[in-house]
Amino acid sequence: MAPKWRVLADKLAEEIRLGEQGKYPPGAQLPQIRELVEDGEGSKSTVHQAYKALEAEGLVTSSRGHGTVVRQRVPLKRLGVARYDKAKWRDGDEVAFIADRVASGRSYRRNEQTQTVSRIEAPPLVAAAHGLPDGAEVYARARVVKEGDQPTHTLTSYYRPEHVEGTRIVDPTPGPAGRGGGFKVLYDAGYEIDHMKEQIFARPASSDEVKLLQLPPGEPVVELHRTTYTASDTVVEFAIGVHAASRFAWEYDFEVPDSAKREKGQ
Amino acid sequence: MAPKWRVLADKLAEEIRLGEQGKYPPGAQLPQIRELVEDGEGSKSTVHQAYKALEAEGLVTSSRGHGTVVRQRVPLKRLGVARYDKAKWRDGDEVAFIADRVASGRSYRRNEQTQTVSRIEAPPLVAAAHGLPDGAEVYARARVVKEGDQPTHTLTSYYRPEHVEGTRIVDPTPGPAGRGGGFKVLYDAGYEIDHMKEQIFARPASSDEVKLLQLPPGEPVVELHRTTYTASDTVVEFAIGVHAASRFAWEYDFEVPDSAKREKGQ
DNA sequence: TAGTGGTCTAGACCACTTC
DNA sequence: AAGTGGTCTAGACCACTAA
């Protein structure tokens, strides 16, 4: 026998998932807690627990004074490898992430990215990615990227000092590292990026991340580890991104490998 | 002022995150709820709420009779595109996912995959991927993949009837579609797969998925949409996977695109 | 049988929003 | 001031595990 709050939550969830045809389309208000208490669905705590479950499943958001409302399904922003197109940042002056936003028809505003740069001892993961010994120092360039007032993700890039010392990439001025962004700076310094590895996984958000990214309770995050190489396989950037899961999808095209044929790498 | 349960949860979370050096290394038991009640951390419900928060953040698991225990961090299984290597399923008789498991040193057992095949009206997403009109019929081949007793993910493949009618891929016998798996069957039928598109995003698990995949409360899922093409860009398979987030990471290597040079596609 | 977490109640009170 | 969800308490009772 499922608990009472589960039964109630499932009943409401089913109606919510019907969408526009259902009793609770996106934007609709769920009954107030005290209402369902009077309907005999249980005590206030029990109904509250059901509402918390729906919130954790990403179906509703609750707020004091407003009530409990069915969440709108916003389309996921698709991130393809085209966002790294050299033509954008090498020949023009666009930063990769901004070019991406322009392409998707959203308005561009300045200061949607805050940045702090510091020289630190490399965390183990970072040292490993760069092939550095434990305790080596790196530059960390941490950004919080916002869309309007809403933070969407953090992105922290780690560089080896000998690659970036003296460039404007380590100038702690806010903003997207000047014209062209970080890849342009590396390019001008003689390190042209050539290929990348991206690793992706999801996990629950920590309470710090819930605060920083203003996540709805229960929303997971996607962590992205990006390693960027020159043509000679030198790692010039290792970056860690933490993304609000409900806002992004990643897209990759590739050929089916065939190790019997030794024509191409992969 | 943060609520009392948040303060308590953060205090415990901090000690858990210290890992082996902390008060609660992986596998350790947290104090019992009634103990913390006596220590003045609040009423039973309050302490319970803090424990639920830690569970939702993926730090602990609670069970009746056992207590509340710090979760072990299992290494993520890395999924690279090499798992689709033609040599494995075309020349040998391995199924992609099994070859992958052998490579990572885990034992292979039969019947780790249950399968149901049915002919259904294509859901909108599936119809779109195959370029079919609304209401067209497709074969759906749904599997639940387990590792030992633990389900790890579901994978549902959708095929166009004219591609698979009469093949053993639509034979509703349990097991991985016979020697070589689904791609081998398509290959034998004259549809050699050539390239793929994968789309990935994360979301909270539904209550059905929590049951089916035996997920710890609060654990998100990663949804994978895979479209498989022949060399002539015919879609021969569209598949949707739902994965327990804590078990997998995806890995992609690619070249930085350059739309100024028109040498290669991507 | 004893010990664990989980559910549920009834009610007081708090925090935030709207009027 | 009125109305919303959120927190907290005290206590009863349930469900599962282990000895």
Side-chain angles (χ1 to χ4, degrees):
Chain A
M1 176 63 178
K4 209 166 173 179
W5 62 265
R6 221 326 114 217
V7 174
L8 174 56
D10 283 344
K11 191 172 79 178
L12 294 167
E14 191 178 359
E15 280 165 341
I16 291 169
R17 279 189 231 273
L18 288 175
E20 294 297 344
Q21 289 75 41
K23 199 164 164 187
Y24 306 115
Q29 277 227 346
L30 255 55
Q32 292 151 18
I33 290 182
R34 288 165 175 83
E35 231 174 279
L36 292 182
V37 171
E38 285 183 9
D39 291 358
E41 295 286 2
S43 74
K44 194 183 167 189
S45 312
T46 302
V47 176
H48 182 217
Q49 199 171 357
Y51 275 34
K52 289 303 277 272
L54 294 175
E55 199 173 38
E57 287 162 32
L59 296 174
V60 304
T61 58
S62 294
S63 54
R64 284 191 270 227
H66 280 143
T68 299
V69 173
V70 178
R71 275 177 77 172
Q72 305 280 351
R73 306 276 285 164
V74 295
L76 300 181
K77 183 171 167 186
R78 297 210 165 111
L79 302 179
V81 301
R83 71 187 185 279
Y84 298 121
D85 191 351
K86 290 183 185 179
K88 289 180 183 164
W89 50 262
R90 182 192 51 203
D91 310 326
D93 66 349
E94 286 174 358
V95 176
F97 84 93
I98 293 176
D100 193 44
R101 191 167 307 155
V102 170
S104 62
R106 309 188 196 189
S107 66
Y108 163 63
R109 294 186 226 166
R110 293 225 164 268
N111 286 332
E112 290 201 323
Q113 173 171 313
T114 61
Q115 170 171 288
T116 65
V117 177
S118 54
R119 186 171 173 143
I120 59 166
E121 194 175 303
L125 193 63
V126 174
H130 273 287
L132 292 170
D134 280 6
E137 293 210 325
V138 292
Y139 275 103
R141 178 170 158 251
R143 295 88 99 192
V144 178
V145 181
K146 295 191 171 83
E147 196 167 299
D149 292 328
Q150 181 71 42
T152 62
H153 64 287
T154 65
L155 187 59
T156 305
S157 295
Y158 299 91
Y159 306 99
R160 297 177 60 164
E162 63 265 38
H163 292 159
V164 296
E165 197 75 79
T167 68
R168 66 171 190 268
I169 217 174
V170 291
D171 166 13
T173 306
R179 289 162 53 94
F183 296 146
K184 179 68 177 285
V185 172
L186 289 169
Y187 178 77
D188 291 342
Y191 299 99
E192 177 168 6
I193 66 171
D194 179 75
H195 56 283
M196 296 176 155
K197 169 157 69 181
E198 292 194 342
Q199 295 176 294
I200 288 184
F201 62 94
R203 56 174 174 77
S206 73
S207 63
D208 287 347
E209 288 161 346
V210 168
K211 265 185 289 188
L212 180 61
L213 295 178
Q214 297 172 23
L215 299 172
E219 173 151 338
V221 295
V222 176
E223 198 169 316
L224 169 72
H225 295 181
R226 177 178 80 198
T227 315
T228 308
Y229 305 82
T230 64
S232 55
D233 273 342
T234 302
V235 174
V236 288
E237 187 212 35
F238 176 70
I240 298 179
V242 178
H243 301 70
S246 69
R247 307 176 76 88
F248 299 96
W250 283 260
E251 230 176 82
Y252 298 92
D253 291 281
F254 57 91
E255 291 173 16
V256 177
D258 187 353
S259 63
K261 289 199 262 186
R262 286 254 146 254
E263 291 166 33
K264 4 190 71 187
Q266 185 57 279
Chain B
M1 177 61 180
K4 208 167 175 178
W5 62 265
R6 228 313 121 219
V7 174
L8 174 56
D10 283 344
K11 192 173 79 178
L12 294 167
E14 191 178 358
E15 281 164 341
I16 291 169
R17 279 189 231 275
L18 289 176
E20 294 297 344
Q21 290 75 40
K23 199 163 163 187
Y24 306 114
Q29 275 227 347
L30 255 55
Q32 293 152 15
I33 290 182
R34 288 164 175 83
E35 229 173 282
L36 292 183
V37 171
E38 285 183 9
D39 291 358
E41 296 286 2
S43 73
K44 194 183 167 189
S45 312
T46 303
V47 176
H48 182 218
Q49 199 170 356
Y51 275 34
K52 289 305 277 270
L54 293 175
E55 199 172 38
E57 288 162 31
L59 296 174
V60 305
T61 58
S62 295
S63 53
R64 282 190 273 226
H66 280 144
T68 300
V69 172
V70 178
R71 275 177 77 171
Q72 305 279 351
R73 307 272 287 163
V74 295
L76 300 180
K77 183 171 167 187
R78 297 210 167 119
L79 302 179
V81 302
R83 70 189 186 278
Y84 298 122
D85 190 350
K86 291 182 184 179
K88 290 180 184 164
W89 50 262
R90 182 194 51 204
D91 310 325
D93 66 347
E94 287 175 355
V95 176
F97 83 93
I98 292 174
D100 193 43
R101 189 168 308 155
V102 169
S104 62
R106 309 188 196 190
S107 66
Y108 164 61
R109 294 187 225 165
R110 294 226 163 266
N111 286 332
E112 292 202 322
Q113 173 171 312
T114 60
Q115 169 171 289
T116 65
V117 176
S118 54
R119 186 170 174 145
I120 59 167
E121 194 175 303
L125 192 64
V126 174
H130 273 286
L132 292 171
D134 280 5
E137 292 210 324
V138 291
Y139 275 103
R141 177 170 158 251
R143 295 87 97 194
V144 178
V145 181
K146 295 191 171 82
E147 195 168 300
D149 292 329
Q150 181 72 41
T152 62
H153 63 287
T154 64
L155 186 60
T156 305
S157 296
Y158 298 91
Y159 306 98
R160 297 176 61 164
E162 63 265 39
H163 292 159
V164 296
E165 199 75 79
T167 68
R168 67 171 189 266
I169 218 174
V170 291
D171 167 11
T173 306
R179 289 162 53 93
F183 295 145
K184 179 69 179 284
V185 172
L186 288 168
Y187 177 78
D188 290 341
Y191 301 99
E192 175 168 6
I193 65 171
D194 179 75
H195 57 283
M196 296 176 156
K197 170 158 69 181
E198 293 194 341
Q199 295 176 295
I200 288 184
F201 62 95
R203 55 173 175 77
S206 72
S207 63
D208 286 348
E209 288 161 345
V210 168
K211 263 183 292 188
L212 181 59
L213 295 177
Q214 297 172 23
L215 298 173
E219 173 152 337
V221 295
V222 175
E223 199 170 316
L224 169 72
H225 295 182
R226 177 178 79 198
T227 316
T228 307
Y229 305 83
T230 63
S232 55
D233 273 341
T234 302
V235 174
V236 288
E237 186 212 34
F238 176 68
I240 297 179
V242 177
H243 300 70
S246 69
R247 308 176 75 89
F248 300 97
W250 282 261
E251 231 175 81
Y252 299 93
D253 291 280
F254 56 91
E255 292 174 14
V256 178
D258 187 353
S259 63
K261 288 198 262 184
R262 287 254 146 255
E263 291 165 33
K264 9 189 68 187
Q266 186 59 278

